[in-house]
Amino acid sequence: MAGKDDEDTCYVCKSSRYLNPEMRFLINTECYHKMCSNCVDRIFSYGPGPCPYPGCDKILRKNKFKEQLFDDIGVEKEVDCRARVMKVYNKTEQDFDSLEEYNAYLEEIEDLVFSLVNGVNVSEVEAKLEAQRAVKTEPRQPKKDIGGVPATPFTPFNGDRGANTLIALSDSLHDPLNEKLIDQKEFSASGYVPQVYYRRALFEAFMGICCFIDAEKTRPIETT
Ligand SMILES: [Zn+2]
Ligand SMILES: [Zn+2]
């Protein structure tokens, strides 16, 4: 059970969890070499220092150590790298003029994550992340439409704010109650117009109905 011993023994101080059940193991995001929390405290409490693993030249800081979340250290590393990249590469589809540009952006993210995980061209990747960080502080450009869909809030007419134009009021429409109101000073003084009332009543009555928008647009509603 050599693997089990490795898991429960600190490589640096050789302490075993068998003797000290409270023992916690920590990893760092530089080289992912595992050591116990006592070693981290002892070696890095007074400032950054080199990793105690032979042949590892990484300079480590105490505040960069953390508990391992995944059993597989490869998965742990990929999740960390992805989180680092996504923190600055955080645009959404709406920030792009076309789907092709957005897909190219997503592909670039995958390439950067791959490079970081595998230690390929790391300085180049760091430079790109730094450049993105600088871009992020500039004021955001107004969002652009994709595929001709208007950038308006949702309405039952698929963002069509001109939905009122779907209704054509007929001159022959008569409503005795409204016609009586327009003769009263308290209504006419406020600028009350029956047509506005009709239009609004029709719009509110029909806006929630599941209708075929294209068909409705070509056939104005008769109000006789
Ligand atoms: Zn230790
Ligand atoms: Zn190391």
Side-chain angles (χ1 to χ4, degrees):
M1 294 289 277
K4 182 79 183 144
D5 286 349
D6 284 352
E7 269 175 36
D8 286 341
T9 305
C10 174
Y11 175 85
V12 182
C13 65
K14 312 295 179 201
S15 299
S16 163
R17 210 203 294 265
Y18 176 73
L19 296 171
N20 178 9
E22 302 288 292
M23 199 167 146
R24 280 167 60 234
F25 285 103
L26 300 174
I27 53 166
N28 68 83
T29 51
E30 283 292 327
C31 60
Y32 289 86
H33 283 139
K34 191 168 83 169
M35 60 198 86
C36 74
S37 58
N38 286 338
C39 283
V40 172
D41 283 341
R42 193 182 66 250
I43 302 170
F44 302 106
S45 275
Y46 299 105
C51 176
Y53 274 66
C56 181
D57 55 0
K58 294 288 182 192
I59 300 297
L60 307 179
R61 288 161 203 279
K62 190 180 167 183
N63 64 359
K64 289 287 166 67
F65 278 87
K66 59 168 196 154
E67 303 243 9
Q68 189 173 338
L69 295 175
F70 299 91
D71 285 342
D72 186 336
I73 204 81
V75 173
E76 183 91 29
K77 195 172 177 184
E78 185 176 341
V79 169
D80 288 345
C81 292
R82 188 169 295 278
R84 272 197 66 201
V85 173
M86 299 296 275
K87 199 174 172 192
V88 286
Y89 275 71
N90 53 8
K91 289 186 183 173
T92 63
E93 190 177 337
Q94 285 195 308
D95 293 317
F96 294 89
D97 289 333
S98 69
L99 196 58
E100 286 74 28
E101 283 176 54
Y102 179 55
N103 283 337
Y105 181 75
L106 293 181
E107 215 163 284
E108 190 184 355
I109 290 175
E110 291 309 313
D111 288 346
L112 293 172
V113 172
F114 179 87
S115 294
L116 279 181
V117 170
N118 296 287
V120 186
N121 301 329
V122 172
S123 53
E124 208 174 286
V125 173
E126 295 292 354
K128 279 188 179 176
L129 292 181
E130 195 50 52
Q132 277 295 320
R133 237 171 257 133
V135 169
K136 215 185 133 204
T137 55
E138 285 173 13
R140 232 171 210 273
Q141 297 296 313
K143 290 193 171 183
K144 288 167 183 157
D145 296 344
I146 288 181
V149 178
T152 52
F154 174 79
T155 73
F157 294 95
N158 196 22
D160 183 359
R161 285 285 162 183
N164 270 315
T165 57
L166 295 174
I167 297 161
L169 284 179
S170 162
D171 290 339
S172 58
L173 180 69
H174 291 295
D175 179 343
L177 175 68
N178 267 293
E179 279 155 18
K180 215 180 288 169
L181 290 177
I182 199 69
D183 291 334
Q184 297 177 20
K185 263 187 281 178
E186 54 266 53
F187 283 93
S188 56
S190 68
Y192 181 79
V193 183
Q195 277 72 18
V196 173
Y197 167 79
Y198 299 146
R199 186 173 288 282
R200 191 170 154 191
L202 284 166
F203 177 61
E204 287 179 1
F206 288 107
M207 74 177 287
I209 294 176
C210 179
C211 53
F212 294 99
I213 307 292
D214 286 342
E216 292 298 322
K217 278 181 177 168
T218 55
R219 190 173 57 81
I221 299 160
E222 293 298 327
T223 54
T224 47

